[in-house]
Amino acid sequence: GYQWSQALARTLVAAGYIQSTADPCVFSKWNDEDYIIMSMHVDDFYVISNDTKYIDTLQETLTTAFGTVTTKSDNIIGYLGMAIESKPNGQVKVNQRPYFDKILARVGMTDCKPARTPYSETQSKQTSDNESIDKNEYLEHIGMLNYPAVLTRPDLLYALSRLAQKCSNPTKGDMRRVTRVFRYINGTKDLGLTFQPGDAKITLYGYVDASYHSYPNAASQYGYSFSLHAKNKSKDATFYARSGKMKLVTLSSTEAEYVAAAEIATETIFLRNLLKDIGFPQRHPTVIYEDNKSCIQMIHGAGNHQRTKHINAKYHFTRQQVKKGTIRIKYKNTLNMLADIFTKGSIPAKQFEKLRDNVVMNEE
């Protein structure tokens, strides 16, 4: 695999392409206002250009170097299990309904009763909940669900983050929670990411949140998401999100939020660099929304030093980026904090759906 990627990179660079420093699987070529951008996943390429002649030339280059290269070009393109649809109004919708139909049939849940949320902290208990089950079957189910969670359905991330931690010794209770995710999917198969028409000034922004003391060992949960602002649109699709268990124990909710802010700060730098490489440099600080005012004060260096002097230096990265003008932290009240659905499983269904519909959505 490594030799293949190196051979492909040499071929494209020789043809005048620039390999992204942020992501080595992304290549681009620019000529005044004309451009072509290509991303690779093993031997599957996704290419966009404002002139088809660049795509034709790329196909010739790859065919000469590696043999036959087939192309697909339509208003709906299947790519890595995703259906990518171009709408007449300029919207681009990405979902995985065919994939969901397939996995629901595979687990025998095509006609199951839908659930309104993918995870519940207060699942009813059964006497058999602690009985061990087939580990391989559990792993298979987690694998089927994790794929869409990281691609087109970030609303599944929290559930998968919690359930994936049970893979070494799953129980019947854990499998019932997995079943709930399938039930939720059965009622939301059409949801996906809808990207609005943008312009050359497209802007990156994000949300970050933490849930203090989420686990019996006192560890907390963090979560964040990113969107690209489209001009004159009220909703922007979340194209990049994460949810996970912190690797350390924090001493307060403010400290947990501070650590989460460092997690999103590193991803912000990566995404800013990637956007620059593909022609969308960010001219202003990237706004990150946070719902903890004490954390915001701490990031700006206004916190109590006695309470922060024990924090590992790497978690002060956000503070440094704010001073450099790369990141700007802004307050967002909890009711409108989109990242809440990446850190909590106890959100009431109505509030969850409100937040979810701002993360994954159908076209307006």
Side-chain angles (χ1 to χ4, degrees), residues 55-246:
I55 297 177
D56 295 337
T57 301
L58 173 61
Q59 184 178 9
E60 292 173 5
T61 298
L62 295 176
T63 299
T64 299
F66 304 110
T68 303
V69 176
T70 58
T71 60
K72 298 177 182 178
S73 180
D74 205 341
N75 66 319
I76 301 180
I77 297 175
Y79 183 67
L80 303 179
M82 298 177 286
I84 304 173
E85 181 179 6
S86 299
K87 298 285 188 176
N89 61 1
Q91 291 177 337
V92 176
K93 182 177 181 181
V94 187
N95 72 15
Q96 291 179 271
R97 169 145 192 167
Y99 177 82
F100 290 138
D101 288 335
K102 180 180 178 180
I103 63 173
L104 286 169
R106 185 170 177 176
V107 298
M109 296 185 64
T110 302
D111 300 318
C112 66
K113 180 181 178 181
R116 290 184 66 182
T117 61
Y119 192 87
S120 173
E121 305 284 8
T122 57
Q123 175 177 271
S124 60
K125 298 185 181 300
Q126 296 183 2
T127 55
S128 61
D129 277 354
N130 293 326
E131 294 180 13
S132 295
I133 60 171
D134 181 9
K135 177 180 176 180
N136 291 329
E137 181 183 7
Y138 188 83
L139 287 170
E140 181 183 10
H141 282 58
I142 293 296
M144 286 189 285
L145 293 170
N146 190 61
Y147 188 64
V150 299
L151 285 180
T152 65
R153 293 296 299 272
D155 53 321
L156 304 177
L157 281 172
Y158 177 78
L160 268 294
S161 171
R162 298 300 296 250
L163 295 170
Q165 296 175 43
K166 305 291 186 177
C167 287
S168 61
N169 186 29
T171 65
K172 286 187 176 181
D174 297 326
M175 184 58 86
R176 287 204 298 124
R177 292 187 187 276
V178 171
T179 299
R180 182 189 178 95
V181 182
F182 281 107
R183 289 175 50 216
Y184 172 73
I185 286 174
N186 197 37
T188 59
K189 290 185 289 186
D190 288 326
L191 290 181
L193 306 180
T194 299
F195 297 94
Q196 309 294 347
D199 56 29
K201 296 181 181 180
I202 198 164
T203 304
L204 176 73
Y205 68 95
Y207 291 82
V208 62
D209 188 48
S211 181
Y212 175 60
H213 207 319
S214 300
Y215 296 87
N217 68 350
S220 301
Q221 185 84 6
Y222 74 90
Y224 58 80
S225 66
F226 289 95
S227 299
L228 294 171
H229 178 66
K231 193 174 182 180
N232 298 324
K233 296 293 180 181
S234 60
K235 295 181 180 180
D236 309 309
T238 294
F239 74 96
Y240 190 94
R242 292 291 182 271
S243 176
K245 179 182 179 180
M246 290 186 183

Side-chain angles (χ1 to χ4, degrees), residues 20-23 26 28 30 37 199-205 226-229 239 267-284 286:
S20 169
T21 55
D23 188 333
V26 176
S28 62
W30 298 83
I37 303 170
D199 56 29
K201 296 181 181 180
I202 198 164
T203 304
L204 176 73
Y205 68 95
F226 289 95
S227 299
L228 294 171
H229 178 66
F239 74 96
E267 294 296 334
T268 300
I269 302 307
F270 159 66
L271 291 172
R272 285 174 64 93
N273 290 336
L274 180 59
L275 287 169
K276 179 181 178 181
D277 287 347
I278 62 174
F280 297 99
Q282 301 297 289
R283 307 295 186 188
H284 302 287
T286 296

